Amino acid sequence: MLKKVLTAILMAAFLISASANVEAKSLWADNGWGLFADKKARDVGDILTIVINESTTLNASKSRSNEKEANVNLNAGTGIFHFLAAASAGGSDSFSADGSARDTSTFRGQITVTVVEVLPNDNMIVEGTQSIWQNRDEHKITLRGIVRRADVTALNTVPSTKVADATLKFDGKGPLNAKQRQGILTQIFNFLF
């Protein structure tokens, strides 16, 4: 009987010492997301998608006109200026220019960006670049701007119209893009004239 009591005491002591090192762990990682929370971008390094839907129209019309006219008449000289004969001169100058321009552009697409900085007011500075290659031509989209956390949808997207201080740049290079640029001689003539 003493043997059974000693065994029970030793077992209890073993279980108590073993349980002192046990830590309670959650089934979910402690990453700030709750069980029912949306997985929206909120920290540096998080990604989100900007849905680009931009449309711009520019109309400009200018007209300029300038006219000058001058006449000078000189009578014959008298006295010591008798050598001056009667003379007259006249001149006129006219300038007129008209010009107009119309530019319409529409762009739709998506670009995934990374949060590069979180401001003290919880706004996020985002930045990202997307390159698409097609037939040796590169089409590159670069976006940088400020996004409010409240504007991030449950799908982790933000419309481009809600990006503050947005810089959206479209660029390209390759054989096709090179053909769409003016040649060097044309650029020189345009610069000179």
Side-chain angles (χ1 to χ4, degrees):
M1 172 94 164
L2 183 63
K3 194 173 188 182
K4 286 184 181 182
V5 172
L6 281 174
T7 306
I9 292 173
L10 285 175
M11 288 291 278
F14 177 74
L15 290 175
I16 290 172
S17 67
S19 65
N21 296 330
V22 174
E23 294 179 28
K25 296 278 186 177
S26 173
L27 295 176
W28 292 274
D30 186 21
N31 58 6
W33 310 109
L35 179 59
F36 301 105
D38 295 327
K39 294 190 177 184
K40 296 180 184 179
R42 56 196 236 182
D43 295 317
V44 173
D46 289 350
I47 61 172
L48 60 96
T49 301
I50 306 293
V51 180
I52 302 169
N53 189 3
E54 298 290 332
S55 180
T56 58
T57 301
L58 170 70
N59 289 316
S61 180
K62 293 184 180 181
S63 178
R64 304 210 185 223
S65 179
N66 186 8
E67 241 178 80
K68 289 185 201 176
E69 190 170 318
N71 290 315
V72 177
N73 291 322
L74 183 63
N75 294 328
T78 57
I80 61 170
F81 297 109
H82 65 27
F83 62 89
L84 292 175
S88 66
S92 66
D93 185 16
S94 177
F95 169 77
S96 178
D98 291 320
S100 65
R102 179 177 171 84
D103 185 20
T104 302
S105 61
T106 302
F107 184 78
R108 288 178 177 77
Q110 294 184 356
I111 181 171
T112 301
V113 294
T114 304
V115 177
V116 293
E117 184 179 348
V118 178
L119 301 175
N121 62 357
D122 276 348
N123 289 345
M124 303 175 292
I125 297 178
V126 297
E127 186 176 309
T129 301
Q130 182 179 31
S131 293
I132 301 168
W133 285 88
Q134 179 182 15
N135 296 333
R136 294 184 302 163
D137 283 316
E138 179 187 23
H139 307 282
K140 191 173 188 180
I141 305 167
T142 304
L143 185 134
R144 181 177 172 86
I146 301 172
V147 173
R148 292 185 321 155
R149 284 188 180 167
D151 292 334
V152 180
T153 68
L155 298 173
N156 203 33
T157 62
V158 176
S160 62
T161 55
K162 297 207 176 200
V163 179
D165 296 331
T167 303
L168 188 58
K169 184 177 169 186
F170 305 101
D171 198 12
K173 63 182 179 180
L176 181 61
N177 288 305
K179 294 294 182 193
Q180 293 176 345
R181 292 190 182 102
Q182 293 178 336
I184 189 72
L185 291 177
T186 305
Q187 291 178 25
I188 291 170
F189 282 128
N190 287 338
F191 176 75
L192 295 176
F193 304 107

